[in-house]
Amino acid sequence: MAEIGRFVLLPVLFLFGLSAYLPFVPFIAALRGLALVMQVLIGYGRTLVGVLYRRTPEFRTLPPYRPQDEEVKAYRNYFFGPASRDLRQLLTLEGRSYAAAVGDSFRAVTSGQFVAPAQHRAFTIPYGLTLYLGLCAGAALALPLLGLLFALHALVLALLTGGARLLAGTLRAVDRAVLWMKRLRTGMLCPHCFERVPYPAYDCPSPTCRRRHADIRPGTYGIFRRRCECGQRMPTLLMLMGRNSRLQAYCVHPHCGKPMNTDAGHMPEVVIPLIGGQAAGKTQLMAAMLLSLEQAAANGGPAITLADEESDANYQVLREVLRMRGHTRATQKSLPRAHSFVLGGGRSQRLVHLFDTAGERFVDREDTDALRYARAARTFVFVLDPMAVKAFWTTMDPPPGPLLDRTLGSTVDPEEVFARSVQAVAAMGAPLQRSRLAVAISKTDLLAEHGLVPAGLEDSDGVRTWLREALGLHSLVQGMELNFREVHFFRTAAVADEEAGVDDSVAGFVEWCLRE
């Protein structure tokens, strides 16, 4: 009987139980497979949060983009490198997580159902095989789901990256269009080296940092804001810099690197070079121009603000000398720095650069070649000292009274200065045929004190006639009118009274020079 029960009844009962269990195999396998799929997907979610949000060491497989490793010491925008790095890390970590989840599940079934089962193997082996079947189905099903999630992640990342790059490019184009509207097509003028700067460099605004950023425009290191290595944020566009939050601009040319005007790029620029021989009166005329604009602003005209501390300091000295009717010291032969000021308000603001160059530079060809700022000018001022013309001393009849001191005049022939200057400026590529020339007859106040100013010098034609007929400067006047689109002649007196009121002759001259 024992053998019958052992070899007949038990197998029959086992087969009967197995046949009763078989209908439940698909359901059990499906549940186990679904559990594995959910485990893998939850693991993906945890990995995604860890890579994108927590960023703890266990979720890091690739070195991060660090500002200290970058050419520009700033944090990269997420869609310019870090986003693709996170996707690669997610692929690596999720691959490891998937392999670990599937492997651990198979090992758990093997241990619990085959190696060390808690029940008789007759019961655990069929169940273990069912679980194996479910795990195989779940592992196979999880792969395309993971692939779909990765593909969706990559698609969203590609769209956002493309959108970020398109936005950065659009903002750059808008910024460039704004510069074109401000007539800054070739960039801003550096007041030190006179080269055009396509886009200035800026220092970090943090007082404890001062790292210099060569190109802050939207791109790799930020779209609307850039974050410096120190953590300080700074705007990436000139149009995002308010009047009180403008950054200090610097020239980007390797041989210069000096500070530019803070207003550079925020408004149109006007360059006006003052050309003339040594002691022709250029510096005093420039001071009188600034004083005239200041006087006009006080009377309701366009506001004027000196653009930098150096221009302001120089102007205060010149203003006092002019008021005292003293003589300015000779301009140094070193390359001049622009005297810059902001004229007007609102949309009519302009950044004006006046260049006062030592007269010696207009005699030596090697020196005139260095005056590169003239390429950006469309209005030139030629300061002509009548006392530098020989005919002035030979043809003028001196009136009774003290004689005019010849040492107060320039010793350089105006025709020589003009010829060399025009030749040098034309060689630099300045479009003289599209430029204007204001001819300022200087020191007429001194001539008036000695009765040497003839009648009829109130308008341009009168001054032109006097130069041609009285001083014999036919060739000079003809050369001016041949080389420039428009020439206007002015009688000027660079003097001021005790209350800093400038001579009336300067106001019309300044208005013509700054005319659009």
Side-chain angles (χ1 to χ4, degrees):
M1 286 296 296
E3 287 78 5
I4 294 174
R6 182 177 181 184
F7 293 107
V8 177
L9 293 179
L10 286 178
V12 170
L13 291 174
F14 176 76
L15 292 175
F16 178 77
L18 186 60
S19 62
Y21 170 72
L22 287 177
F24 296 96
V25 167
F27 180 71
I28 296 173
L31 288 178
R32 187 63 187 94
L34 181 62
L36 178 61
V37 170
M38 294 303 298
Q39 181 183 356
V40 170
L41 295 181
I42 291 173
Y44 172 84
R46 289 174 179 171
T47 305
L48 183 65
V49 171
V51 170
L52 300 183
Y53 178 71
R54 294 176 61 188
R55 299 187 180 278
T56 48
E58 64 268 23
F59 295 104
R60 188 178 302 155
T61 62
L62 296 173
Y65 289 99
R66 303 184 305 172
Q68 54 266 37
D69 299 330
E70 299 284 341
E71 183 178 355
V72 176
K73 304 305 178 185
Y75 289 89
R76 282 180 177 246
N77 178 270
Y78 182 70
F79 296 106
F80 286 79
S84 59
R85 167 184 169 270
D86 284 348
L87 179 59
R88 294 196 303 271
Q89 290 188 131
L90 185 61
L91 284 169
T92 301
L93 291 172
E94 186 52 32
R96 296 174 183 174
S97 176
Y98 172 81
V102 173
D104 290 345
S105 297
F106 272 99
R107 282 189 290 272
V109 171
T110 302
S111 175
Q113 308 300 326
F114 294 96
V115 178
Q119 304 295 329
H120 195 277
R121 283 186 174 84
F123 301 103
T124 60
I125 288 177
Y127 184 65
L129 293 174
T130 303
L131 296 180
Y132 272 160
L133 178 62
L135 290 176
C136 291
L141 180 61
L143 281 177
L145 292 178
L146 284 178
L148 181 62
L149 289 174
F150 281 123
L152 182 62
H153 187 135
L155 177 62
V156 172
L157 177 59
L159 292 175
L160 291 177
T161 300
R165 293 176 184 269
L166 179 62
L167 178 60
T170 302
L171 290 174
R172 278 177 173 254
V174 171
D175 192 58
R176 174 55 58 186
V178 171
L179 290 178
W180 273 62
M181 292 173 61
K182 295 175 181 177
R183 299 189 296 276
L184 298 173
R185 297 175 179 83
T186 57
M188 295 131 255
L189 182 71
C190 174
H192 295 279
C193 69
F194 321 131
E195 296 288 355
R196 284 290 185 179
V197 179
Y199 220 86
Y202 293 93
D203 278 353
C204 173
S206 173
T208 59
C209 177
R210 298 302 178 188
R211 290 177 176 86
R212 187 160 299 176
H213 298 259
D215 188 351
I216 66 169
R217 286 176 293 180
T220 303
Y221 301 101
I223 296 179
F224 292 101
R225 290 277 187 261
R226 169 178 293 196
R227 188 155 66 105
C228 179
E229 183 181 356
C230 69
Q232 178 70 39
R233 295 185 180 274
M234 53 197 298
T236 59
L237 294 167
L238 287 168
M239 56 187 177
L240 296 179
M241 299 182 194
R243 177 66 185 174
N244 298 322
S245 61
R246 291 177 181 174
L247 305 179
Q248 176 60 59
Y250 290 87
C251 179
V252 297
H253 293 286
H255 61 276
C256 182
K258 295 180 180 178
M260 299 172 61
N261 301 111
T262 306
D263 297 298
H266 295 278
M267 59 193 68
E269 294 185 358
V270 178
V271 176
I272 302 180
L274 277 72
I275 300 172
Q278 185 180 11
K282 300 185 303 300
T283 304
Q284 285 184 294
L285 180 60
M286 182 189 67
M289 293 172 68
L290 294 172
L291 192 57
S292 175
L293 289 170
E294 188 181 78
Q295 183 177 322
N299 295 328
I304 177 174
T305 306
L306 276 299
D308 51 74
E309 294 181 358
E310 187 174 345
S311 294
D312 185 62
N314 291 338
Y315 170 61
Q316 296 305 326
V317 174
L318 293 173
R319 183 176 183 270
E320 188 63 22
V321 170
L322 200 64
R323 188 185 65 82
M324 296 171 58
R325 297 204 174 195
H327 295 286
T328 58
R329 65 186 181 91
T331 306
Q332 300 299 308
K333 192 179 178 182
S334 57
L335 284 176
R337 187 198 183 280
H339 297 265
S340 305
F341 59 90
V342 176
L343 184 65
R347 294 187 176 182
S348 64
Q349 280 188 323
R350 289 178 289 168
L351 178 60
V352 183
H353 303 286
L354 296 180
F355 284 94
D356 171 27
T357 306
E360 298 93 323
R361 282 195 170 271
F362 296 109
V363 178
D364 190 341
R365 172 62 188 273
E366 293 182 358
D367 289 334
T368 55
D369 283 346
L371 307 181
R372 296 179 296 274
Y373 58 82
R375 291 180 300 191
R378 296 299 176 266
T379 299
F380 293 80
V381 174
F382 185 77
V383 182
L384 194 155
D385 181 3
M387 292 187 287
V389 182
K390 292 181 181 180
F392 176 83
W393 301 101
T394 58
T395 61
M396 299 293 288
D397 295 327
L403 295 178
L404 182 62
D405 187 358
R406 299 186 65 157
T407 61
L408 297 178
S410 174
T411 59
V412 185
D413 183 7
E415 293 191 72
E416 180 184 1
V417 174
F418 180 79
R420 290 185 179 274
S421 302
V422 167
Q423 185 179 5
V425 172
M428 293 175 195
L432 296 182
Q433 293 295 331
R434 301 200 305 270
S435 302
R436 304 183 305 149
L437 177 67
V439 182
I441 308 302
S442 63
K443 303 179 183 178
T444 58
D445 56 309
L446 187 60
L447 302 183
E449 290 177 0
H450 293 79
L452 296 175
V453 178
L457 299 188
E458 287 76 19
D459 57 15
S460 177
D461 291 338
V463 177
R464 179 179 181 276
T465 301
W466 182 63
L467 291 177
R468 287 171 55 89
E469 297 180 1
L471 299 187
L473 298 177
H474 300 272
S475 299
L476 178 59
V477 172
Q478 184 179 12
M480 291 174 174
E481 294 173 342
L482 286 175
N483 283 283
F484 289 87
R485 172 176 60 87
E486 182 181 358
V487 181
H488 205 93
F489 299 87
F490 296 89
R491 166 188 172 272
T492 62
V495 292
D497 56 28
E498 290 295 328
E499 297 181 356
V502 73
D503 190 87
D504 293 337
S505 63
V506 178
F509 164 72
V510 173
E511 182 181 357
W512 189 90
C513 289
L514 295 175
R515 191 178 67 197
E516 289 288 347

